[in-house]
Amino acid sequence: MRILITGVTGQVGHALCRHDWPEDAEIVAASRDDLDLAETESIASYISAGRFDAVINPAAYTAVDRAETDLVAAWRVNALAPAAMAAATWKVGIPLICVSTDYVFDGTKAGAYNEDAPISPSGVYGASKAAGELAVRTGNPRHVILRTSWVFSAHGANFVKTMLRLAEERPRLRVVDDQRGCPTSARDIAAVLAKITLRLIADAQAPTGTYHFSNAEPTTWCGFAKEIFRQAESFGYRVPDVEAIATTEYPTPARRPANSILRATKIERDYAVRPRPWREALAEVLSELAPGVAEKAEETR
């Protein structure tokens, strides 16, 4: 089987390339040089010529604040590219698996969001991802859209690595404590995407539609930061004081959802996926990052 993966420099795309695929799976990791998602005209020809059995699209324009002023670029990658992929994959008769986000919701709901909860994005990033979802749903019936939240890994830019970097520079960090969600390991997302993709290839009747997946146990950004440093101390990282603040004390161009908790019961039912606690996944990431800390300490002696 031959599987196309886009966005391979991102956290989830990188994790997908590192995933332990079956021996008969040929993974085509398309970089921007191979397939520029901003050029939608080339997507159809690339997919039709590739003789793929499935396409996984974790690629996205994820600069949430910059998207507020870079609207065209965000919509090209997050909405138009998935639309072109949906049309192209449906034409050649293969499934499309796309990654989406909690930002399609406005975050005002009291409890966890189900997959069928009304979407109401508050900014350009969320709106462009919501448009991409709609394009995929209408363009290829054999699709899976996997919404997730608060992605972290040892690769790329993310909250965990930002906290560790800032701890090297400052004795005290002020972190928002009134936004709730579930941190999610890119490695765990990749494993779920691989499981879904392999089943869609093997079974034409496999479940399709929109699913939620995040690691278990909600927290706040401040709670996430405190747990990062609680675990990181044993790996030799510097541990700063962490002060809880309100969102109003940390204004940003794009409004963040106050509630990003995604209910994942549907994916457990259809694909037997049971999310593990994010603290377990965090320990793995910190362990993976730790050798770099040891090397840095050696350099400064």
Side-chain angles (χ1 to χ4, degrees), residues 31 49 51 53 72 87 90 139 143 148 187 197 236-237 251 257 269 301:
S31 68
R51 301 180 67 85
D53 294 288
V72 173
W90 181 241
H143 71 266
T148 190
R187 182 179 298 174
T197 302
Y237 291 96
R269 180 196 70 199
R301 287 180 181 174

Side-chain angles (χ1 to χ4, degrees), residues 245-278:
I245 63 171
T247 297
T248 53
E249 298 178 72
Y250 188 75
T252 56
R255 188 172 74 82
R256 270 63 174 170
N259 172 22
S260 291
I261 303 170
L262 304 175
R263 182 170 285 116
T265 51
K266 182 181 174 183
I267 200 167
E268 182 176 349
R269 180 196 70 199
D270 288 358
Y271 282 93
V273 169
R274 180 169 295 180
R276 62 174 173 163
W278 59 265

Side-chain angles (χ1 to χ4, degrees), residues 52-100:
F52 302 112
D53 294 288
V55 174
I56 308 176
N57 178 40
Y61 184 111
T62 57
V64 175
D65 290 325
R66 192 165 69 240
E68 292 298 303
T69 54
D70 198 12
L71 185 148
V72 173
W75 275 74
R76 278 178 179 159
V77 175
N78 294 343
L80 297 181
M85 287 183 201
T89 51
W90 181 241
K91 186 174 182 179
V92 297
I94 61 174
L96 173 62
I97 302 91
C98 284
V99 177
S100 192

